[in-house]
Amino acid sequence: MTRVRFAPSPTGRLHLGNARPALFNWLFAKSTGGEFVLRYDDTDQERSTREFADAIATDLAWLGITPDITARQSDRVSLYDSARDKLIADGRLYPCYETSDELDRRRARARAMGRPPIYDRAALDLTPEQIKTYEDEGRKPHWRFKLKGDPVHFADLVRGEQTVNTASMSDPVLIRGDGSYLYTLPSVVDDMDMDITHVIRGEDHISNSGVQIEIFEALGGKGPVFAHHNLLTDVEGKGLSKRLGSLSLSEFAEQGLEPMAVALMAVLTGTSLPVEPYDSLEVLAQKLDISMVSHGAARYDPAELEALNAKILHQTDFALLADKLSPLGVSTEPVWLALRDNITRLPQIVDWVSLIDGPVDPVIADEDKEFISLAASLLPAEPWDSETWKSWTSAVKQESNRKGKQLFLPLRLALTGRADGPELKSLLPLIGRTACLARLT
Ligand code: GLU
């Protein structure tokens, strides 16, 4: 049984960049018949809010993800306290009293002397008297995890064999001066407690994984299998972080983009599968394997999203979109089929619906007036169907001796007020004889 987790901090809405690990985890759970846990990493009490947590669930639901289990780290602090006590008892977690100014000065000094700015573990040499002096001054310790310093090896499902050299890292702070936990320890405790089998997350977490594997071992656990995927960048290969606001999922929803297009873009970019429509995430789950993630950048191109969105709309059945189409004035399948090829985003359909329902300002040039009234007089009797346009324009051609653009463009301009748009063959029966006649005269 596999179990994966998506572990956002509820300090903001989801954007394209973090939809990516959410989807990789979801698809992995689907393809392996496992479970997907939504775990809010909300130990940062100041920045985490319940509103953001709820909004994240809404964003995930919009993408098509419904968690099997939801958990909050803020409900689980006693577990972290037990892990903390064990690590302290085992000498792997130690108190440090340096202020951030002191640490900054030490780092600057190390750099000036050409040494890497790694924490020097001075706190391990403090005498009980020194500690007492600090405590009397009112200083509260933060706590660091004592790394073993041996290279950590793990087999990554995306990147193959990985080595993290923890000897070149500072002992990580696991607990802040105010006693609150940074995400590193709670994450390991939860992954163990919740039997997480696979940790799938961005490659910015690789060195964290090295540290966390040491913590798993220190707590007597067996680490999960790791998979680190490449991160989405802009077309030039730069991080997405600067424009995250415009890439939030709620913004995409507001702009009328299809959740499937956004999901496919978030997950397929930078993999060996082409970015193209799939009927459902379940179908995609059967095709996509985490090993198909490429090692290079995953460049996100907004134009590609737009094109994918259009492609999806052009092949989506009316029934699947009926709920969204009815408020836009599209309530029957023939209307949808007549208009769908002319939109790249759903809300644009409103504009085309007006060609059917009106009001339309017919455009009739002076030199076409006679031609248009001739055409009006040749309008066949109803019932109309998809052949009506052809038979009507053949008759008009015959009587007027016009052909090609000279024949068709004035008719389009008179019937719709525009030089381009959906096929008149499909529009004509939807507009109906009465309205057509009115527009032509
Ligand atoms: N809260 C962390 C993040 O959003 C979780 C990383 C992880 O998946 O372990 O970066």
Side-chain angles (χ1 to χ4, degrees):
M1 169 78 166
T2 60
R3 188 182 277 161
V4 292
R5 85 295 193 283
F6 173 56
S9 303
T11 54
R13 298 291 294 252
L14 291 189
H15 53 77
L16 201 65
N18 45 29
R20 189 166 171 83
L23 283 155
F24 276 130
N25 279 290
W26 172 252
L27 293 168
F28 186 85
K30 289 286 135 195
S31 69
T32 54
E35 286 180 334
F36 175 97
V37 177
L38 168 60
R39 194 177 69 214
Y40 294 112
D41 277 8
D42 60 351
T43 55
D44 182 346
Q45 299 275 352
E46 256 164 51
R47 295 174 56 229
S48 303
T49 70
R50 185 71 190 215
E51 287 71 30
F52 280 134
D54 293 345
I56 285 173
T58 306
D59 290 340
L60 288 176
W62 182 76
L63 283 176
I65 295 177
T66 42
D68 298 300
I69 300 166
T70 299
R72 285 164 216 285
Q73 292 195 322
S74 53
D75 292 338
R76 304 169 54 84
V77 175
S78 60
L79 285 174
Y80 316 144
D81 290 346
S82 313
R84 171 199 64 197
D85 294 346
K86 171 170 170 51
L87 293 178
I88 293 175
D90 293 348
R92 296 298 300 274
L93 194 61
Y94 61 96
C96 302
Y97 291 86
E98 294 92 348
T99 63
S100 41
D101 280 351
E102 279 164 1
L103 291 171
D104 284 346
R105 278 199 298 277
R106 266 191 230 175
R107 275 193 288 266
R109 218 162 37 231
R111 275 198 207 92
M113 293 168 67
R115 281 191 277 117
I118 296 176
Y119 178 62
D120 59 9
R121 292 185 168 164
L124 286 175
D125 300 326
L126 291 176
T127 62
E129 291 74 35
Q130 285 170 310
I131 291 182
K132 181 162 186 324
T133 313
Y134 285 140
E135 298 271 344
D136 291 346
E137 278 173 21
R139 288 205 200 187
K140 296 266 176 277
H142 54 275
W143 296 76
R144 288 187 191 262
F145 178 71
K146 196 169 163 202
L147 291 166
K148 286 209 299 218
D150 302 331
V152 176
H153 303 285
F154 62 95
D156 189 293
L157 290 186
V158 175
R159 301 164 58 93
E161 279 304 317
Q162 297 291 300
T163 300
V164 176
N165 195 357
T166 56
S168 65
M169 298 164 75
S170 294
D171 287 341
V173 176
L174 301 190
I175 306 174
R176 298 184 186 89
D178 65 3
S180 67
Y181 292 95
L182 283 105
Y183 111 98
T184 317
L185 176 64
S187 178
V188 170
V189 171
D190 287 338
D191 288 346
M192 282 170 63
D193 182 65
M194 300 176 138
D195 297 320
I196 298 298
T197 57
H198 295 75
V199 167
I200 305 172
R201 57 185 177 184
E203 61 190 15
D204 51 334
H205 281 291
I206 291 179
S207 46
N208 281 344
S209 295
V211 168
Q212 289 182 320
I213 287 170
E214 278 206 22
I215 300 177
F216 276 109
E217 284 166 5
L219 292 175
K222 182 174 153 302
V225 176
F226 285 91
H228 294 92
H229 62 78
N230 51 4
L231 302 178
L232 287 179
T233 68
D234 64 15
V235 247
E236 274 111 47
K238 293 203 202 75
L240 289 182
S241 56
K242 289 198 188 60
R243 306 179 336 217
L244 287 187
S246 65
L247 296 175
S248 69
L249 300 188
S250 54
E251 184 85 0
F252 285 125
E254 246 161 66
Q255 290 169 1
L257 282 151
E258 294 309 300
M260 182 55 105
V262 174
L264 292 174
M265 207 57 208
V267 78
L268 289 178
T269 305
T271 71
S272 59
L273 279 188
V275 178
E276 62 184 20
Y278 286 84
D279 287 342
S280 65
L281 291 180
E282 282 71 17
V283 171
L284 175 61
Q286 302 313 318
K287 297 257 156 70
L288 181 71
D289 188 272
I290 192 79
S291 65
M292 292 173 178
V293 173
S294 61
H295 296 188
R299 290 171 202 264
Y300 160 65
D301 180 354
E304 200 178 352
L305 172 59
E306 198 74 30
L308 177 65
N309 199 74
K311 221 171 174 180
I312 289 175
L313 288 176
H314 299 172
Q315 62 187 51
T316 302
D317 290 342
F318 174 71
L320 292 174
L321 288 171
D323 289 350
K324 288 202 225 169
L325 284 170
S326 125
L328 298 173
V330 178
S331 42
T332 67
E333 180 163 46
V335 175
W336 171 240
L337 294 180
L339 305 182
R340 69 176 179 184
D341 286 347
N342 288 76
I343 56 171
T344 60
R345 298 183 187 199
L346 211 55
Q348 293 166 347
I349 204 155
V350 171
D351 198 29
W352 296 122
V353 171
S354 69
L355 301 193
I356 298 170
D357 298 344
V360 162
D361 280 330
V363 174
I364 303 174
D366 281 345
E367 68 268 26
D368 290 329
K369 279 202 169 121
E370 222 172 286
F371 166 72
I372 293 295
S373 50
L374 170 70
S377 71
L378 293 170
L379 271 181
E382 283 181 318
W384 284 6
D385 58 25
S386 58
E387 295 306 309
T388 306
W389 170 251
K390 193 155 175 264
S391 53
W392 177 47
T393 53
S394 304
V396 177
K397 182 178 176 184
Q398 186 114 45
E399 296 295 317
S400 67
N401 271 326
R402 288 195 183 203
K403 57 178 193 266
K405 200 172 160 194
Q406 282 224 308
L407 170 71
F408 295 115
L409 185 60
L411 291 176
R412 178 180 283 282
L413 285 169
L415 288 171
T416 69
R418 306 198 201 185
D420 49 36
E423 280 193 70
L424 282 162
K425 168 176 163 324
S426 328
L427 283 185
L428 210 62
L430 297 170
I431 299 172
R433 193 174 195 282
T434 312
C436 279
L437 193 59
R439 292 176 196 181
L440 295 171
T441 50

